[in-house]
């Protein structure tokens, strides 16, 4: 058996947005599967609010790469799904629809929505899923550049009001810089955390320099 991860020690603070950057096959999705309880590591712990959650599910809210909306359910019904499964209620459905400006499309079905709108609905469903931690798995990778930029801005506005704890994986350096409080660089075989970088308010020049530094870290240039 070949190990995928080794000596990965990561702490995510309450209401922090942390992004994991790494090349394909570096173990980013494995980390998510371990945190979510879908995989059990050979060794190590996953602690959430002082509780050991290794091998347990139901404690995180997860947003996949594709929207994965139920085509027979309306926008409102898709958003309600996360809370229905875990608590048997619609959760904060009306509040989230109002906050996001989706009241006018609450009765529409996914086949009437653009790719960006589907991703917004998917994110609202994740927000409506009970869980202390949100896991975003390359949520904007399938979108074109303009829609992706618009989604990032929208996400920042929603999270500014929601104050949630977020762990995201992405291949996009620019996306990591734009959204994150902290960036974790994963590399090696087996993979380990090579760098942790605090992201602060930056000038365009500082942003460009950080992008170059991260590119060098990821490619070994």
């Amino acid at each position: 058996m070949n190990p995928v991860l080794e000596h990965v020690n990561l702490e995510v603070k309450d209401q922090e947005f942390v992004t994991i950057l790494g090349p394909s096959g570096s173990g980013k999705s494995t980390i998510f599967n371990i945190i979510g309880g879908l995989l059990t590591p050979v060794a190590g712990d996953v602690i959430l609010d002082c509780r050991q959650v290794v091998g347990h599910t139901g404690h995180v809210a997860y947003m996949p790469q594709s929207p994965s909306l139920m085509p027979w359910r309306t926008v409102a019904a898709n958003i309600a799904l996360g809370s229905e499964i875990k608590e048997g209620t619609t959760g904060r459905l009306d509040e989230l629809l109002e906050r996001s400006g989706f009241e006018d499309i609450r009765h529409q079905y996914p086949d009437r929505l653009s790719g960006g709108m589907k991703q917004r609905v998917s994110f609202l469903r994740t927000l409506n899923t009970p869980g202390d931690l949100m896991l975003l798995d390359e949520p904007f990778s399938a979108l074109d550049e303009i829609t992706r930029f618009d989604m990032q801005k929208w996400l920042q506005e929603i999270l500014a009001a929601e104050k949630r704890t977020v762990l995201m994986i992405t291949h996009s350096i620019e996306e990591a810089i734009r959204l994150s409080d902290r960036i974790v660089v994963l590399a090696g075989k087996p993979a380990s955390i090579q760098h942790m970088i605090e992201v602060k308010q930056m000038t365009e020049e500082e942003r460009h320099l950080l992008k170059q530094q991260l590119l060098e870290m990821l490619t070994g240039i």
Side-chain angles (χ1 to χ4, degrees):
M1 181 178 63
N2 295 321
V4 177
L5 302 168
E6 185 176 55
H7 305 308
V8 174
N9 187 4
L10 175 62
E11 179 181 356
V12 180
K13 300 174 184 177
D14 186 40
Q15 298 184 15
E16 187 179 25
F17 194 123
V18 176
T19 295
I20 301 176
L21 274 176
S24 296
S26 61
K28 301 186 298 297
S29 294
T30 300
I31 290 176
F32 268 25
N33 286 331
I34 290 173
I35 293 173
L38 300 178
L39 289 177
T40 301
V42 174
D45 300 310
V46 179
I47 307 296
L48 183 64
D49 290 336
C50 300
R51 295 180 289 117
Q52 170 67 267
V53 295
V54 166
H56 298 282
T57 59
H59 52 275
V60 299
Y62 175 75
M63 180 177 176
Q65 295 181 32
S66 60
S68 301
L69 302 180
M70 303 298 181
W72 59 88
R73 295 180 69 116
T74 63
V75 165
N78 268 289
I79 295 171
L81 184 61
S83 189
E84 287 176 6
I85 292 173
K86 295 190 66 174
E87 296 185 341
T89 70
T90 58
R92 302 163 53 219
L93 174 62
D94 291 333
E95 174 192 346
L96 291 173
L97 284 168
E98 181 179 356
R99 176 171 291 170
S100 60
F102 277 20
E103 282 287 356
D104 291 344
I105 64 167
R106 66 181 297 152
H107 299 301
Q108 289 191 20
Y109 289 89
D111 63 352
R112 301 293 301 275
L113 305 178
S114 66
M117 290 299 285
K118 289 177 182 177
Q119 286 298 94
R120 283 173 167 82
V121 173
S122 178
F123 180 71
L124 292 177
R125 179 182 59 194
T126 306
L127 276 178
N128 199 39
T129 302
D132 299 313
L133 175 66
M134 292 181 63
L135 303 181
L136 308 184
D137 186 357
E138 299 191 61
F140 313 133
S141 59
L143 302 177
D144 63 78
E145 186 174 356
I146 295 175
T147 305
R148 185 171 187 151
F149 181 84
D150 188 48
M151 272 294 302
Q152 292 167 1
K153 183 178 179 181
W154 180 82
L155 176 65
Q156 286 177 308
E157 293 171 352
I158 293 292
L159 288 177
E162 287 290 322
K163 306 297 184 184
R164 297 289 290 270
T165 304
V166 180
L167 184 61
M168 181 177 76
I169 58 178
T170 182
H171 285 97
S172 171
I173 294 174
E174 289 188 359
E175 184 167 271
I177 295 173
R178 174 179 293 276
L179 295 177
S180 309
D181 298 310
R182 187 157 47 105
I183 297 172
V184 174
V185 179
L186 201 67
K189 290 188 178 296
S192 61
I193 294 174
Q194 303 294 320
H195 304 277
M196 286 193 187
I197 301 167
E198 298 285 342
V199 181
K200 55 180 176 23
Q201 294 292 328
M202 294 179 290
T203 65
E204 283 302 315
E205 183 178 353
E206 290 172 330
R207 188 181 297 271
H208 178 74
L209 179 59
L210 177 56
K211 181 179 177 180
Q212 290 300 116
Q213 291 172 338
L214 287 167
L215 184 61
E216 292 175 6
M217 292 174 188
L218 289 167
T219 61
I221 295 175

